[in-house]
Amino acid sequence: MKGRESGMPDETYWTSFFDADVALEKLLGSRVDGNVIEFGCGYGSFTVPAARRATGSVTALDIEPEMVDSVRRKAAASNLTNIQVKVRDFAAHGTGVATASQAHAMIFNLLHLEQPVSLLREAYRTLQDGGVLSVIHWRSDIPTPRGPSLAIRPTPEQCREWMAVASFHAIESVDLQTCCPFHFGLLARR
Ligand SMILES: C[S@@+](CC[C@H](N)C(=O)[O-])C[C@H]1O[C@@H](n2cnc3c(N)ncnc32)[C@H](O)[C@@H]1O
């Protein structure tokens, strides 16, 4: 089932909210040794910069075929051969990715869906020991031009609680003010 309020606006409008490369430098660093999984890749705004950093492959999943097509086109245009993009409903069927096969999991602008802890548990399952989860989401402490309704928009504190329930540790905040002023960032480890 597609997560509530997870539709996308026009791509130019969406990408105006992020400097994705700077955000990933803060969240993933300049290099990820291993594979990356991305839950709900959307247009692939973060997929391509993640693939440039990963020594392994980036598995980008989305329930919407047109989003998957968009990412495929970007991967081809960038000559990146390490992006595997698939239409998949990970809320209903999980990721299909092998246990402990990923170095990094990205959940961006998605934790307002119905079963956030289930999603985090699936991310945890896919990560190898010491693997890193990154989360970004719309802030609710300032007015934002977009984002899910405030009633379902999780705060950083709520996300931290869910992460801990899903067994993540070493949860830390990442300041995204310079690259995504309407968002907060969190990192955690398996
Ligand atoms: C708000 S968008 C965020 C896209 C991307 N993470 C970003 O930040 O640019 C959420 C994406 O998750 C996808 N999505 C929602 N529910 C899903 C599900 N159950 N399985 C797979 N993808 C899903 C939507 O189709 C949408 O492209």
Side-chain angles (χ1 to χ4, degrees), residues 1 3 6 8 14 40 42 62-64 88-91 108-109:
M1 183 186 70
S6 65
M8 292 290 268
W14 182 254
D62 205 285
I63 198 169
E64 295 288 357
R88 189 166 179 102
D89 179 350
F90 44 68
F108 292 177
N109 298 302

Side-chain angles (χ1 to χ4, degrees), residues 58 84 110 122 135 187:
V58 175
Q84 296 171 4
L110 197 58
E122 175 62 358
V135 164
L187 290 173

Side-chain angles (χ1 to χ4, degrees), residues 1-9 14 18 38-46 61-64 67 86-92 106-110 112-114 119 136 138 146 148 183:
M1 183 186 70
K2 183 170 176 173
R4 58 189 174 180
E5 297 190 38
S6 65
M8 292 290 268
W14 182 254
F18 316 98
E38 183 180 17
F39 290 76
C41 53
Y43 292 114
S45 318
F46 297 95
L61 306 175
D62 205 285
I63 198 169
E64 295 288 357
M67 292 294 151
K86 293 176 194 160
V87 176
R88 189 166 179 102
D89 179 350
F90 44 68
M106 304 193 301
I107 303 181
F108 292 177
N109 298 302
L110 197 58
H112 57 282
L113 52 53
E114 287 81 352
L119 197 69
I136 74 172
W138 292 95
R146 176 87 198 171
H183 287 75

Side-chain angles (χ1 to χ4, degrees), residues 14-180:
W14 182 254
T15 53
S16 72
F17 302 126
F18 316 98
D19 184 331
D21 210 46
V22 173
L24 288 197
E25 197 62 29
K26 289 171 180 279
L27 295 163
L28 277 69
S30 54
R31 175 182 155 128
V32 176
D33 284 317
N35 301 319
V36 176
I37 181 154
E38 183 180 17
F39 290 76
C41 53
Y43 292 114
S45 318
F46 297 95
T47 315
V48 167
R52 293 210 172 95
R53 289 170 163 78
T55 61
S57 62
V58 175
T59 301
L61 306 175
D62 205 285
I63 198 169
E64 295 288 357
E66 59 269 35
M67 292 294 151
V68 165
D69 287 345
S70 168
V71 180
R72 278 210 184 100
R73 284 195 298 274
K74 286 189 181 69
S78 317
N79 287 323
L80 286 165
T81 55
N82 64 335
I83 295 176
Q84 296 171 4
V85 54
K86 293 176 194 160
V87 176
R88 189 166 179 102
D89 179 350
F90 44 68
H93 307 298
T95 57
V97 165
T99 298
S101 59
Q102 308 294 307
H104 195 108
M106 304 193 301
I107 303 181
F108 292 177
N109 298 302
L110 197 58
L111 270 187
H112 57 282
L113 52 53
E114 287 81 352
Q115 303 289 342
V117 174
S118 299
L119 197 69
L120 289 165
R121 287 201 170 111
E122 175 62 358
Y124 188 90
R125 184 193 67 77
T126 69
L127 285 169
Q128 59 205 40
D129 278 345
V132 176
L133 165 73
S134 57
V135 164
I136 74 172
H137 212 300
W138 292 95
R139 291 170 59 177
S140 43
D141 59 327
I142 56 168
T144 58
R146 176 87 198 171
S149 37
L150 289 175
I152 62 165
R153 196 185 297 197
T155 61
E157 294 71 31
Q158 179 67 80
C159 292
R160 281 172 172 268
E161 278 177 32
W162 289 336
M163 288 170 166
V165 171
S167 301
F168 283 98
H169 70 281
I171 303 167
E172 57 176 299
S173 295
V174 177
D175 184 356
L176 300 179
Q177 187 64 38
T178 58
C179 51
C180 315

